Amino acid sequence: MNGKVNGAVETCRGQDKFVMSKRLENYLNFSHPMIAENFNPNECAWAYGMNIFDLEAWRKTNISLTYHHWVEENLKSGLSLWQLGTLPPGLIAFHGHVHVIDPFWHMLGLGYQENTSFAGAETAGVIHFNGRAKPWLEIAFPQLRPLWAKYINSSDKFITGCHIRTS
C-alpha cells in the first residue's frame, strides 16, 4: 500500500451518483474555520465499511491521537465540526494515509440501490448493505436478500425469535 495505513475504496467516482459522489464537503462542516483551514471540500471521501490496514504503517503514525484530538475539538465546538456518525472523524484521522483500492473489493450501496445487479454483487470481494434497506428488513430489495440470507441459520433460536426475514 506504498506506506499508507488504510486501503479503502473511494466514494467520489463511479456510475451510481448517489453512493459514489461523496467528497469531504458531504461530511465535514466547511463553514467552521477549523475544518476550512485544514481540509479541501472537494477531496474524495472513502468507504469506511471495509478497510485493509497496514498495522506496521499505523504504528509509525499518530492516527489514534489525531482521531481523539478531533473528537475532543468536536465536543468543544458543540458537535459542529461534522455530521454525526463514525465516518467523519475517520475521514479526518486517516487523512493523507489512505491508499485507494479497486472498487471490486467493496461493493457499496446495496441498501440504497434497487437496481444493483445480483450477478455483479456475487462477483464482488465484499458486499456492503449500507443504506436503509438492510436485507433483514421489510424494506429490503427482494432480489438482493439471497446474497445475505444464504448465510443465516434459520433454525437458530435468536433468528426465529427476532422474526428476521430471509426470503
Side-chain angles (χ1 to χ4, degrees):
M1 294 195 314
N2 302 323
K4 300 288 185 176
V5 173
N6 180 4
V9 172
E10 285 186 318
T11 56
C12 64
R13 296 175 184 86
Q15 294 177 335
D16 175 24
K17 298 304 176 200
F18 181 74
V19 175
M20 300 304 281
S21 63
K22 306 298 186 215
R23 299 187 178 276
L24 293 186
E25 68 185 351
N26 298 104
Y27 301 101
L28 306 180
N29 178 7
F30 281 89
S31 67
H32 196 288
M34 284 185 70
I35 296 296
E37 292 167 8
N38 288 285
F39 304 99
N40 176 349
N42 296 315
E43 189 172 329
C44 193
W46 45 270
Y48 204 46
M50 198 288 300
N51 299 265
I52 302 166
F53 293 106
D54 180 337
L55 297 180
E56 289 182 19
W58 187 321
R59 290 181 189 104
K60 295 175 185 174
T61 70
N62 60 355
I63 288 173
S64 298
L65 289 173
T66 299
Y67 183 91
H68 291 289
H69 166 77
W70 280 95
V71 167
E72 287 176 20
E73 292 298 325
N74 195 36
L75 290 171
K76 287 182 204 172
S77 76
L79 303 176
S80 66
L81 298 182
W82 57 73
Q83 293 180 16
L84 293 179
T86 58
L87 177 58
L91 291 171
I92 290 172
F94 288 99
H95 188 255
H97 298 282
V98 177
H99 175 78
V100 177
I101 62 173
D102 190 306
F104 159 82
W105 288 107
H106 187 185
M107 183 178 206
L108 298 157
L110 275 68
Y112 290 114
Q113 304 174 50
E114 186 171 4
N115 63 348
T116 298
S117 144
F118 186 85
E122 278 195 315
T123 61
V126 173
I127 58 172
H128 188 171
F129 285 91
N130 59 318
R132 295 180 184 160
K134 304 298 186 199
W136 53 88
L137 298 175
E138 291 288 329
I139 62 172
F141 304 123
Q143 75 278 16
L144 299 178
R145 190 173 277 131
L147 293 166
W148 172 80
K150 65 183 175 185
Y151 298 104
I152 302 304
N153 177 356
S154 297
S155 65
D156 181 89
K157 181 173 68 174
F158 176 76
I159 297 298
T160 57
C162 291
H163 307 288
I164 292 175
R165 294 216 31 192
T166 56
S167 60

